């Protein structure tokens, strides 16, 4: 079983829709959870960073972590065409310097 | 504020040729530095990471090597490129101990022909 599973999509939504992106993980040692956004041919940029279970909100973005079910989500409200990108989840156990990434979900928001 | 640079942005090299990709970070001291490769449909693969000058950890055995000659400089090299070395190479940095968030550079797109 891969350590981090992420539906690759592609996911296509109309502008203004609420988008839900999800990852599951298998390693119970994971304590830190991140979401990155990567535009085509660019480096990933950090969107959200969270440590504990629960929700963390930043503008139109909400990250949700459920450690009991090993499930993390990113919600995008009022999605915009500029949100069209690949979204990568990343997890870590905290005891080393390495992150484990999902393969990414390609999102397209249509105007 | 911190900035990370990578060059070149794109590179086309013949099989068997050498490689040198450079990454530098500004605005922070003693960063942890990482090299990743991203191949189409395969996600981010960690190649090397370094927690200090001269300290290199290799994640994947291959014909690539890394060096850190200065605190904020990280170099990825190869003596002889293979077709399978093609991909998008990303440098990243973090600070502190443990798995803090990492910040990525703009990347180098390498095509080996």
């Amino acid at each position: 079983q891969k350590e981090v599973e992420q539906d690759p999509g592609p996911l296509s939504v109309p502008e203004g829709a609420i988008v839900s992106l999800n990852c599951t993980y298998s390693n119970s040692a994971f304590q830190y959870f991140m979401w990155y956004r990567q535009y085509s041919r660019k480096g990933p940029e950090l969107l959200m960073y969270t440590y504990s279970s629960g929700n963390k909100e930043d503008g139109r973005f909400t990250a949700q972590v459920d450690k009991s079910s090993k499930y993390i989500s990113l919600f995008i409200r009022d999605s915009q065409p500029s949100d069209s990108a690949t979204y990568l989840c990343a997890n870590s156990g905290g005891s080393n310097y390495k992150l484990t990434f999902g393969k990414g979900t390609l999102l397209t928001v249509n105007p | 504020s911190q900035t990370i640079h990578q060059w070149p942005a794109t590179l086309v090299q013949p099989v068997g040729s050498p490689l040198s990709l450079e990454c530098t970070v500004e605005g922070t001291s003693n960063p942890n530095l990482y090299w990743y490769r991203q191949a189409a449909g395969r996600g981010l693969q960690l190649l090397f990471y370094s927690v200090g000058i001269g300290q290199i950890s290799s994640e994947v055995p291959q014909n690539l090597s890394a060096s850190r000659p200065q605190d904020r400089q990280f170099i990825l090299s190869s003596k002889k490129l293979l077709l399978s070395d093609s991909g998008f190479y990303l440098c990243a940095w973090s600070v502190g101990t443990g798995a803090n968030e990492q910040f990525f550079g703009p990347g180098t797109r390498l095509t080996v022909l």
Side-chain angles (χ1 to χ4, degrees):
Chain A
Q1 182 182 11
K2 295 179 182 175
E3 285 201 292
V4 178
E5 300 267 11
Q6 187 174 6
D7 186 340
L11 181 62
S12 181
V13 301
E15 183 175 354
I18 296 174
V19 176
S20 173
L21 303 166
N22 308 295
C23 285
T24 59
Y25 63 94
S26 58
N27 189 340
S28 299
F30 284 152
Q31 299 177 47
Y32 301 88
F33 306 91
M34 285 149 253
W35 283 97
Y36 287 83
R37 177 175 63 195
Q38 185 176 22
Y39 292 114
S40 180
R41 308 180 79 84
K42 303 291 185 183
E45 63 177 303
L46 181 67
L47 272 180
M48 302 285 281
Y49 173 77
T50 183
Y51 170 72
S52 59
S53 283
N55 294 349
K56 181 177 180 180
E57 191 172 320
D58 184 1
R60 296 185 294 111
F61 298 90
T62 299
Q64 188 175 80
V65 176
D66 183 345
K67 288 187 177 180
S68 62
S69 59
K70 299 186 180 67
Y71 196 83
I72 61 175
S73 300
L74 178 70
F75 298 97
I76 307 174
R77 291 183 300 280
D78 187 26
S79 56
Q80 303 294 309
S82 58
D83 295 328
S84 298
T86 297
Y87 289 81
L88 302 156
C89 61
N91 305 348
S92 174
S95 60
N96 58 41
Y97 296 86
K98 298 183 285 186
L99 300 181
T100 301
F101 285 86
K103 289 189 176 182
T105 299
L106 177 61
L107 170 68
T108 300
V109 181
N110 301 298
Chain B
S1 64
Q2 299 86 3
T3 309
I4 180 168
H5 303 279
Q6 285 187 246
W7 63 89
T10 59
L11 192 59
V12 180
Q13 292 285 92
V15 169
S17 63
L19 174 74
S20 180
L21 303 181
E22 189 166 340
C23 170
T24 59
V25 180
E26 296 177 355
T28 187
S29 296
N30 195 31
N32 307 310
L33 296 172
Y34 306 81
W35 278 113
Y36 289 87
R37 177 169 58 205
Q38 189 175 37
R42 296 191 61 186
L44 282 166
Q45 179 186 32
L46 179 63
L47 302 175
F48 302 93
Y49 70 95
S50 170
V51 300
I53 295 175
Q55 299 179 60
I56 308 294
S57 296
S58 175
E59 290 296 300
V60 183
Q62 55 205 328
N63 69 321
L64 299 173
S65 62
S67 62
R68 185 170 176 173
Q70 300 180 43
D71 181 44
R72 289 169 287 180
Q73 184 185 30
F74 206 21
I75 297 172
L76 183 70
S77 304
S78 174
K79 292 182 178 178
K80 287 186 178 181
L81 284 168
L82 307 173
L83 286 174
S84 57
D85 291 325
S86 293
F88 192 41
Y89 287 82
L90 290 156
C91 181
W93 67 272
S94 69
V95 293
T97 57
N100 297 315
E101 60 265 52
Q102 295 178 16
F103 301 93
F104 286 82
T108 294
R109 187 159 303 277
L110 172 66
T111 303
V112 182
L113 301 174

